[in-house]
């Protein structure tokens, strides 16, 4: 499929990538983040820096240390990038169209998060060379976007409530509660009692089975905006059966790995909302296609979050400006996760919105000192010059 129409970009813009640096960074989280699949106290990820002569480009891989949320993991992503993905992109010569990145790595099956990071970095360099922002190139129609926040599992409902009240005071427009078996109905009921009018959702990260249908029928009484990924990470059929029994929309996250998956899920009734994460679907261009197929079918989407540093946060905000993004996403402020981000921090306005970056490319760069302080390993893959 062609790239989105981009009249702002001169037709002939082309970049030659000479080398790509991979850098693992670690940033402490302001508080542990617990989900049904585990607990993180630190964000650790791979950043890519594309050197394209006059311009550089940055990309962030959303994989984590261990393959819990999805199959990919940091060392695996570094391996697939250095061994297969980066050499394939470098060998293909100049990039005159960002869609060439996905084309050149299509032979590699899977590895979507690694591919997405590479596409993001090359696209950033190409857009900087074109003096165009990601938001305008991808087709964003808003310069500010409403934001929600994701609240990790805590030992008591009271602890979650205290955290939630802090976020509501800052302006967040929707609160997502992480749930797991044993910490679900009672907690959500308690929060709903205290906050009868707050837009609330829950995210199970695939922790339940069809046998838990009675739990979801009880949650169905609580007026939730949606129930995110209740069942298997690779399932659509069980979700379709569950959705048929619920009024609350099911939102799929893990189960949607492509625009093709999105069409299948919508057509079989497996969900009524989709969480879009560019990393999970293999890149920003595929994320745009997920947006497009959902929009054509009248299905609301929102942009998820993977505890990104400012690099990934910037791209999520650009995507959140797309016209079909009709619900607040997990695009929270930097301070929700980090005391000090890698980039200038993204800040929430008291009205619960954040600005979409407007500068060329993704619109942000790591601050050199902060980047150096957070980096734990660095390697470089160079273009082979015959
Ligand atoms: C979700 N995110 O929507 C994910 C899950 C998640 C904001 O709830 C490191 C890397 C830690 C990826 C923790 C939110 C993560 C991660 C949670 C993804 O399901
Ligand atoms: Mg989720």
């Amino acid at each position: 499929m062609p790239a989105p129409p981009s009249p702002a970009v001169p037709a002939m813009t082309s970049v030659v990538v000479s080398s790509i640096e991979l850098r693992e960074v670690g940033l402490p989280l302001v508080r542990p983040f617990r989900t049904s699949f585990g607990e993180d106290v630190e964000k650790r990820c791979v950043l890519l820096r594309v050197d394209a002569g006059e311009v550089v480009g940055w990309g962030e891989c959303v994989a984590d240390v261990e393959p819990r949320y999805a199959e990919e993991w940091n060392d695996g992503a570094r391996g697939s990038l250095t061994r297969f993905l980066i050499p394939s992109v470098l060998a293909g010569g100049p990039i005159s169209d960002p869609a060439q990145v996905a084309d050149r790595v299509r032979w590699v099956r899977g590895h979507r998060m690694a591919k997405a990071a590479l596409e993001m970095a090359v696209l950033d360099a190409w857009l900087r060379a074109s003096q165009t922002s990601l938001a305008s190139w991808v087709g964003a129609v808003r310069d500010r976007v409403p934001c929600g926040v994701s609240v990790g599992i805590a030992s008591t409902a009271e602890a979650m409530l205290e955290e939630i009240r802090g976020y509501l005071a800052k302006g967040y427009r929707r609160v997502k509660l992480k749930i797991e078996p044993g910490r679900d109905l009672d907690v959500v009921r308690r929060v709903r009692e205290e906050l009868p009018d707050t837009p609330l959702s829950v995210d199970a990260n695939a922790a339940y089975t069809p046998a838990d249908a009675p739990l979801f029928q009880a949650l169905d009484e609580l007026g939730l905006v949606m129930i995110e990924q209740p069942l298997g990470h690779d399932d659509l059929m069980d979700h379709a059966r569950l959705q048929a029994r619920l009024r609350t929309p099911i939102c799929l996250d893990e189960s949607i790995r492509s625009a093709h998956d999105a069409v299948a899920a919508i057509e079989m009734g497996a969900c009524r909302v989709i969480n879009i994460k560019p990393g999970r679907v293999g890149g920003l261009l595929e994320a745009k296609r997920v947006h497009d197929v959902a929009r054509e079918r009248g299905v609301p989407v929102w942009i998820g979050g993977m505890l990104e540093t400012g690099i990934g946060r910037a791209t999520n905000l650009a995507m959140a400006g797309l016209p079909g993004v009709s619900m607040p996403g997990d695009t929270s402020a930097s301070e929700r996760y980090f005391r000090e981000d890698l980039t200038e921090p993204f800040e929430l306005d008291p009205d619960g919105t954040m600005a979409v970056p407007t500068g060329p490319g993704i619109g942000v760069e790591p601050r050199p000192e902060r980047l150096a302080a957070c980096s734990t390993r660095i390697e470089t893959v160079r273009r082979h010059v015959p």
Side-chain angles (χ1 to χ4, degrees), residues 5 27-28 38 42 49 127 159 176 197 211 214 233 250 279 330 335 350 371:
L27 287 77
E42 182 196 44
R49 181 184 181 276
L127 286 169
K176 165 167 129 180
D197 303 321
H233 71 95
I250 288 179
D330 286 343
E335 66 159 24
L371 182 65

Side-chain angles (χ1 to χ4, degrees), residues 141-142 276 291 294-295 299-302 319-327:
V141 294
R142 279 181 283 270
I276 299 179
H291 163 275
R295 190 165 185 235
V299 169
V301 301
W302 51 280
M319 298 302 286
L322 289 171
V325 177
S326 55
M327 304 173 99

Side-chain angles (χ1 to χ4, degrees), residues 69 176 178 203 205 228-229 253-254 275 277 330:
Y69 166 84
K176 165 167 129 180
K178 294 297 210 176
D203 185 357
N205 287 111
E228 185 174 338
Q229 197 68 40
D253 174 356
E254 286 90 330
N275 167 340
K277 293 174 178 170
D330 286 343

Side-chain angles (χ1 to χ4, degrees), residues 253-332:
D253 174 356
E254 286 90 330
S255 294
I256 306 296
R257 296 154 309 177
S258 62
H260 180 271
D261 282 349
V263 171
I266 293 167
E267 292 191 354
M268 65 198 274
C271 65
R272 294 182 194 150
V273 177
I274 292 175
N275 167 340
I276 299 179
K277 293 174 178 170
R280 196 194 63 228
V281 302
L284 290 157
L285 278 68
E286 186 69 9
K288 171 66 161 59
R289 289 192 280 269
V290 173
H291 163 275
D292 294 348
V293 300
R295 190 165 185 235
E296 285 156 14
R297 289 162 180 78
V299 169
V301 301
W302 51 280
I303 307 300
M306 296 286 276
L307 283 54
E308 290 90 346
T309 77
I311 301 295
R313 205 161 288 279
T315 64
N316 287 344
L317 284 165
M319 298 302 286
L322 289 171
V325 177
S326 55
M327 304 173 99
D330 286 343
T331 46
S332 308

Side-chain angles (χ1 to χ4, degrees), residues 15-23 47-60 81 85-86 89-90 93 95 101 114-129 311 362 365-366 379-383:
V15 294
V16 178
V17 178
S18 56
S19 67
I20 300 183
E21 180 187 86
L22 298 92
R23 194 182 265 271
L47 295 185
L48 298 181
R49 181 184 181 276
V50 161
D51 184 335
E54 304 282 282
V55 289
V56 303
W58 289 94
E60 174 169 343
L81 282 159
L85 304 176
I86 292 174
V89 168
L90 296 182
I95 300 278
V101 179
K115 288 175 178 176
L118 181 54
E119 186 198 65
M120 187 195 300
V122 175
L123 177 58
D124 183 33
W126 185 84
L127 286 169
R128 284 177 200 264
I311 301 295
I362 64 173
E365 278 151 59
E379 60 193 302
T380 304
V381 182
R382 287 170 215 289
R383 184 163 55 101

